[in-house]
Amino acid sequence: MAKEIKCPLCSNSAENIERINTSDIINLWKKRGIDTEKLFGENLYLYKNLCPHCKLEFFYPFVPGDNKFYSLLGREEWYYLHEDKTEFLYSCKFIKENDHVLDVGSGRGAFFNYIDKKIEYTGLELSSQAVEFAKKEKINVIEKTIEEFAQNNQNSQDVVVTFQVLEHIVNLDSFIKSSLTALKKNGYFIIAVPNNYSFIRYAQNNIFNLPPHHLLHWNEYTLEYIAKKYNLEIVDIYKEKVTNVHKDWFYTTKFSKFIRGLLGIDTKTINVSFLSRVIQKISFLLSKFVRNSCSHLREDGHTIAIVFRKVHDA
């Protein structure tokens, strides 16, 4: 790929580390009953890139999901109401009584139900289906972008949170700047994303970590880079351990990685070969024998969260 690709976070040149057939991604989504072929257009390949400067990994060309794509995902209730949301409980300790809390990419406003203090809560969500869910539950979620909200609500929020959203965003600068515009000075900006330096790095065919769902792969280093770029203070970093929801996936991935290592097979983002399917099946069966052990409780899990303080005016 001759074209120079710029990192969406730091704008430095990125390195191509893997080429992926879009047909393989399309077929994986079809198995889940979602047709993504039109979203990929004429792109026969996607390229996974690594920025040497900020360590962000991302897929290019960018193929974001549209409203139809997320509406199809939203048919399954688990998509908006996950169990074991450890980042929710963790973030609540940074919220005080009567705070104004803005939840960007809120889904149906599930975070509101975790907060046991009196607050002013606003959720921003682009899925009309999720907004309707929130209305039925009398949770204040509005269909608006962070850029639109920030225009008329500068320095209005004590806490801005965005959970499992930044991996979907291409226009990072606009998203982060607008979030900080809405935040009061000395307020908290809390980001939670999948931790791609955890076990999920070795999970092949992980369709939810692929376009058009996830476009960017974050890690602790890239999150810390945000503080440098936007002049923020890092208050805390939280890395969850493997939760019960992800326990079987963790052990299956661990066995699969081990078997691939014995056979000298590299981990790829997508591997749909017959041998790969056999290894996955064996790994799944082996995981049943260790699922009641506690070793997963010592391993980094799916999510990493970082808390920033806005120490200067945006």
Side-chain angles (χ1 to χ4, degrees), residues 278-310:
V278 171
I279 291 173
Q280 189 69 10
K281 183 65 175 178
I282 292 171
S283 300
F284 177 74
L285 293 173
L286 290 173
S287 73
K288 298 300 181 184
F289 293 97
V290 296
R291 69 181 315 273
N292 292 324
S293 74
C294 295
S295 65
H296 65 282
L297 298 175
R298 299 188 294 271
E299 301 279 353
D300 288 345
H302 175 274
T303 294
I304 181 171
I306 188 165
V307 182
F308 302 105
R309 182 183 284 113
K310 177 184 171 182

Short mmCIF file of all heavy atoms in Angstrom, two decimals, residues 278-310:
data_model
loop_
_atom_site.label_atom_id
_atom_site.label_comp_id
_atom_site.label_asym_id
_atom_site.label_seq_id
_atom_site.Cartn_x
_atom_site.Cartn_y
_atom_site.Cartn_z
N VAL A 278 -10.30 -26.07 13.86
CA VAL A 278 -10.03 -27.24 14.70
C VAL A 278 -9.38 -26.81 16.02
O VAL A 278 -9.77 -27.27 17.10
CB VAL A 278 -9.14 -28.25 13.96
CG1 VAL A 278 -8.68 -29.36 14.91
CG2 VAL A 278 -9.89 -28.86 12.77
N ILE A 279 -8.39 -25.93 15.92
CA ILE A 279 -7.70 -25.44 17.12
C ILE A 279 -8.68 -24.73 18.05
O ILE A 279 -8.66 -24.92 19.27
CB ILE A 279 -6.55 -24.49 16.72
CG1 ILE A 279 -5.43 -25.26 16.02
CG2 ILE A 279 -6.00 -23.76 17.95
CD1 ILE A 279 -4.34 -24.38 15.44
N GLN A 280 -9.57 -23.93 17.46
CA GLN A 280 -10.55 -23.20 18.27
C GLN A 280 -11.49 -24.16 18.98
O GLN A 280 -11.83 -23.96 20.15
CB GLN A 280 -11.33 -22.23 17.38
CG GLN A 280 -12.22 -21.25 18.13
CD GLN A 280 -11.44 -20.22 18.92
OE1 GLN A 280 -10.22 -20.11 18.77
NE2 GLN A 280 -12.13 -19.46 19.74
N LYS A 281 -11.92 -25.21 18.28
CA LYS A 281 -12.83 -26.18 18.88
C LYS A 281 -12.15 -26.93 20.02
O LYS A 281 -12.74 -27.11 21.10
CB LYS A 281 -13.29 -27.17 17.80
CG LYS A 281 -14.30 -28.20 18.29
CD LYS A 281 -15.61 -27.55 18.69
CE LYS A 281 -16.66 -28.59 19.06
NZ LYS A 281 -17.93 -27.97 19.51
N ILE A 282 -10.92 -27.37 19.80
CA ILE A 282 -10.17 -28.06 20.84
C ILE A 282 -9.97 -27.15 22.05
O ILE A 282 -10.13 -27.56 23.20
CB ILE A 282 -8.80 -28.55 20.31
CG1 ILE A 282 -9.01 -29.65 19.26
CG2 ILE A 282 -7.91 -29.04 21.43
CD1 ILE A 282 -7.75 -30.04 18.53
N SER A 283 -9.63 -25.90 21.78
CA SER A 283 -9.39 -24.93 22.85
C SER A 283 -10.65 -24.70 23.67
O SER A 283 -10.59 -24.58 24.91
CB SER A 283 -8.90 -23.60 22.27
OG SER A 283 -7.70 -23.78 21.55
N PHE A 284 -11.78 -24.62 22.99
CA PHE A 284 -13.06 -24.43 23.68
C PHE A 284 -13.35 -25.61 24.61
O PHE A 284 -13.79 -25.43 25.76
CB PHE A 284 -14.18 -24.26 22.67
CG PHE A 284 -15.55 -24.14 23.28
CD1 PHE A 284 -15.94 -22.97 23.92
CD2 PHE A 284 -16.45 -25.20 23.22
CE1 PHE A 284 -17.19 -22.86 24.49
CE2 PHE A 284 -17.70 -25.10 23.79
CZ PHE A 284 -18.08 -23.93 24.43
N LEU A 285 -13.10 -26.83 24.13
CA LEU A 285 -13.34 -28.02 24.94
C LEU A 285 -12.39 -28.07 26.14
O LEU A 285 -12.81 -28.40 27.25
CB LEU A 285 -13.18 -29.27 24.08
CG LEU A 285 -14.23 -29.47 22.97
CD1 LEU A 285 -13.86 -30.65 22.09
CD2 LEU A 285 -15.62 -29.64 23.56
N LEU A 286 -11.12 -27.71 25.92
CA LEU A 286 -10.15 -27.71 27.02
C LEU A 286 -10.51 -26.66 28.06
O LEU A 286 -10.29 -26.87 29.27
CB LEU A 286 -8.75 -27.43 26.48
CG LEU A 286 -8.09 -28.54 25.65
CD1 LEU A 286 -6.78 -28.06 25.04
CD2 LEU A 286 -7.85 -29.78 26.52
N SER A 287 -11.08 -25.55 27.62
CA SER A 287 -11.42 -24.49 28.56
C SER A 287 -12.45 -24.94 29.59
O SER A 287 -12.50 -24.40 30.70
CB SER A 287 -11.93 -23.26 27.80
OG SER A 287 -13.24 -23.47 27.29
N LYS A 288 -13.26 -25.93 29.24
CA LYS A 288 -14.29 -26.41 30.16
C LYS A 288 -13.69 -27.06 31.41
O LYS A 288 -14.32 -27.09 32.46
CB LYS A 288 -15.20 -27.43 29.45
CG LYS A 288 -15.97 -26.85 28.26
CD LYS A 288 -16.87 -25.72 28.67
CE LYS A 288 -17.65 -25.15 27.50
NZ LYS A 288 -18.45 -23.96 27.90
N PHE A 289 -12.45 -27.55 31.26
CA PHE A 289 -11.81 -28.23 32.39
C PHE A 289 -11.19 -27.26 33.38
O PHE A 289 -10.86 -27.65 34.51
CB PHE A 289 -10.73 -29.20 31.88
CG PHE A 289 -11.28 -30.36 31.11
CD1 PHE A 289 -11.32 -30.34 29.72
CD2 PHE A 289 -11.78 -31.48 31.77
CE1 PHE A 289 -11.84 -31.43 29.01
CE2 PHE A 289 -12.29 -32.57 31.07
CZ PHE A 289 -12.33 -32.53 29.68
N VAL A 290 -11.00 -26.01 32.99
CA VAL A 290 -10.33 -25.06 33.87
C VAL A 290 -11.22 -23.86 34.21
O VAL A 290 -10.79 -22.96 34.93
CB VAL A 290 -9.01 -24.56 33.25
CG1 VAL A 290 -8.03 -25.71 33.10
CG2 VAL A 290 -9.25 -23.86 31.92
N ARG A 291 -12.45 -23.85 33.70
CA ARG A 291 -13.30 -22.67 33.87
C ARG A 291 -13.62 -22.38 35.34
O ARG A 291 -13.98 -21.25 35.69
CB ARG A 291 -14.59 -22.79 33.07
CG ARG A 291 -15.55 -23.83 33.55
CD ARG A 291 -16.80 -23.91 32.68
NE ARG A 291 -17.35 -22.60 32.36
CZ ARG A 291 -18.21 -21.96 33.14
NH1 ARG A 291 -18.56 -22.50 34.30
NH2 ARG A 291 -18.69 -20.78 32.77
N ASN A 292 -13.49 -23.39 36.21
CA ASN A 292 -13.78 -23.17 37.63
C ASN A 292 -12.54 -22.80 38.43
O ASN A 292 -12.61 -22.62 39.65
CB ASN A 292 -14.43 -24.41 38.23
CG ASN A 292 -15.83 -24.65 37.68
OD1 ASN A 292 -16.56 -23.70 37.43
ND2 ASN A 292 -16.20 -25.91 37.50
N SER A 293 -11.40 -22.68 37.75
CA SER A 293 -10.20 -22.21 38.44
C SER A 293 -10.29 -20.70 38.62
O SER A 293 -11.19 -20.05 38.09
CB SER A 293 -8.95 -22.57 37.64
OG SER A 293 -8.83 -21.73 36.50
N CYS A 294 -9.34 -20.13 39.34
CA CYS A 294 -9.38 -18.69 39.61
C CYS A 294 -8.22 -17.95 38.96
O CYS A 294 -8.01 -16.76 39.26
CB CYS A 294 -9.35 -18.45 41.12
SG CYS A 294 -10.82 -19.08 41.98
N SER A 295 -7.49 -18.60 38.08
CA SER A 295 -6.32 -17.94 37.50
C SER A 295 -6.69 -16.74 36.65
O SER A 295 -5.91 -15.80 36.52
CB SER A 295 -5.50 -18.94 36.66
OG SER A 295 -6.24 -19.39 35.55
N HIS A 296 -7.91 -16.74 36.10
CA HIS A 296 -8.34 -15.60 35.28
C HIS A 296 -8.47 -14.32 36.09
O HIS A 296 -8.37 -13.22 35.54
CB HIS A 296 -9.68 -15.91 34.59
CG HIS A 296 -10.82 -16.08 35.53
ND1 HIS A 296 -11.03 -17.24 36.25
CD2 HIS A 296 -11.83 -15.23 35.88
CE1 HIS A 296 -12.11 -17.10 36.99
NE2 HIS A 296 -12.61 -15.89 36.78
N LEU A 297 -8.66 -14.46 37.41
CA LEU A 297 -8.84 -13.29 38.25
C LEU A 297 -7.54 -12.49 38.41
O LEU A 297 -7.57 -11.35 38.88
CB LEU A 297 -9.35 -13.71 39.63
CG LEU A 297 -10.71 -14.41 39.65
CD1 LEU A 297 -11.04 -14.90 41.05
CD2 LEU A 297 -11.79 -13.47 39.13
N ARG A 298 -6.42 -13.08 38.00
CA ARG A 298 -5.13 -12.39 38.07
C ARG A 298 -4.71 -11.77 36.74
O ARG A 298 -3.67 -11.13 36.64
CB ARG A 298 -4.05 -13.37 38.55
CG ARG A 298 -4.30 -13.95 39.94
CD ARG A 298 -3.13 -14.75 40.44
NE ARG A 298 -2.91 -15.95 39.63
CZ ARG A 298 -3.49 -17.13 39.88
NH1 ARG A 298 -4.32 -17.26 40.91
NH2 ARG A 298 -3.25 -18.18 39.12
N GLU A 299 -5.52 -11.98 35.71
CA GLU A 299 -5.16 -11.53 34.36
C GLU A 299 -5.96 -10.29 33.97
O GLU A 299 -7.12 -10.14 34.34
CB GLU A 299 -5.45 -12.65 33.35
CG GLU A 299 -4.69 -13.95 33.61
CD GLU A 299 -3.27 -13.91 33.09
OE1 GLU A 299 -2.92 -12.93 32.40
OE2 GLU A 299 -2.52 -14.86 33.36
N ASP A 300 -5.32 -9.41 33.20
CA ASP A 300 -6.02 -8.24 32.69
C ASP A 300 -7.16 -8.65 31.79
O ASP A 300 -7.01 -9.53 30.92
CB ASP A 300 -5.07 -7.33 31.91
CG ASP A 300 -4.09 -6.59 32.81
OD1 ASP A 300 -4.33 -6.56 34.03
OD2 ASP A 300 -3.09 -6.06 32.30
N GLY A 301 -8.30 -8.02 32.00
CA GLY A 301 -9.51 -8.37 31.26
C GLY A 301 -9.78 -7.46 30.08
O GLY A 301 -8.88 -6.78 29.56
N HIS A 302 -11.03 -7.40 29.69
CA HIS A 302 -11.45 -6.74 28.45
C HIS A 302 -11.25 -5.23 28.47
O HIS A 302 -10.93 -4.63 27.45
CB HIS A 302 -12.93 -7.07 28.21
CG HIS A 302 -13.54 -6.36 27.05
ND1 HIS A 302 -14.08 -5.09 27.14
CD2 HIS A 302 -13.68 -6.73 25.75
CE1 HIS A 302 -14.52 -4.72 25.96
NE2 HIS A 302 -14.30 -5.70 25.10
N THR A 303 -11.44 -4.59 29.62
CA THR A 303 -11.58 -3.13 29.65
C THR A 303 -10.47 -2.43 30.41
O THR A 303 -10.00 -2.92 31.45
CB THR A 303 -12.94 -2.76 30.27
OG1 THR A 303 -13.99 -3.22 29.40
CG2 THR A 303 -13.09 -1.26 30.46
N ILE A 304 -10.07 -1.28 29.89
CA ILE A 304 -9.19 -0.36 30.58
C ILE A 304 -9.87 1.00 30.64
O ILE A 304 -10.55 1.40 29.68
CB ILE A 304 -7.81 -0.26 29.89
CG1 ILE A 304 -6.87 0.70 30.65
CG2 ILE A 304 -7.95 0.18 28.43
CD1 ILE A 304 -5.43 0.68 30.15
N ALA A 305 -9.75 1.68 31.77
CA ALA A 305 -10.35 3.01 31.94
C ALA A 305 -9.28 3.98 32.43
O ALA A 305 -8.38 3.59 33.19
CB ALA A 305 -11.52 2.96 32.92
N ILE A 306 -9.40 5.21 32.02
CA ILE A 306 -8.48 6.25 32.45
C ILE A 306 -9.28 7.48 32.86
O ILE A 306 -10.30 7.81 32.24
CB ILE A 306 -7.45 6.60 31.35
CG1 ILE A 306 -6.36 7.54 31.87
CG2 ILE A 306 -8.13 7.16 30.11
CD1 ILE A 306 -5.14 7.64 30.95
N VAL A 307 -8.83 8.13 33.94
CA VAL A 307 -9.50 9.32 34.45
C VAL A 307 -8.56 10.51 34.28
O VAL A 307 -7.44 10.51 34.79
CB VAL A 307 -9.87 9.16 35.94
CG1 VAL A 307 -10.61 10.41 36.44
CG2 VAL A 307 -10.71 7.92 36.16
N PHE A 308 -9.03 11.51 33.55
CA PHE A 308 -8.28 12.75 33.36
C PHE A 308 -8.95 13.87 34.16
O PHE A 308 -10.16 13.85 34.38
CB PHE A 308 -8.28 13.18 31.88
CG PHE A 308 -7.71 12.18 30.92
CD1 PHE A 308 -8.54 11.44 30.09
CD2 PHE A 308 -6.34 11.99 30.83
CE1 PHE A 308 -8.03 10.53 29.20
CE2 PHE A 308 -5.81 11.07 29.92
CZ PHE A 308 -6.66 10.34 29.10
N ARG A 309 -8.15 14.86 34.55
CA ARG A 309 -8.69 16.10 35.09
C ARG A 309 -8.37 17.23 34.10
O ARG A 309 -7.23 17.36 33.64
CB ARG A 309 -8.12 16.40 36.45
CG ARG A 309 -8.71 17.70 37.06
CD ARG A 309 -8.09 18.05 38.41
NE ARG A 309 -8.61 17.20 39.49
CZ ARG A 309 -7.88 16.32 40.14
NH1 ARG A 309 -6.61 16.13 39.84
NH2 ARG A 309 -8.41 15.60 41.11
N LYS A 310 -9.36 18.05 33.83
CA LYS A 310 -9.18 19.20 32.97
C LYS A 310 -8.61 20.34 33.81
O LYS A 310 -9.33 20.99 34.56
CB LYS A 310 -10.51 19.62 32.33
CG LYS A 310 -10.46 20.85 31.48
CD LYS A 310 -11.85 21.22 30.97
CE LYS A 310 -11.88 22.55 30.29
NZ LYS A 310 -13.25 22.94 29.84
#
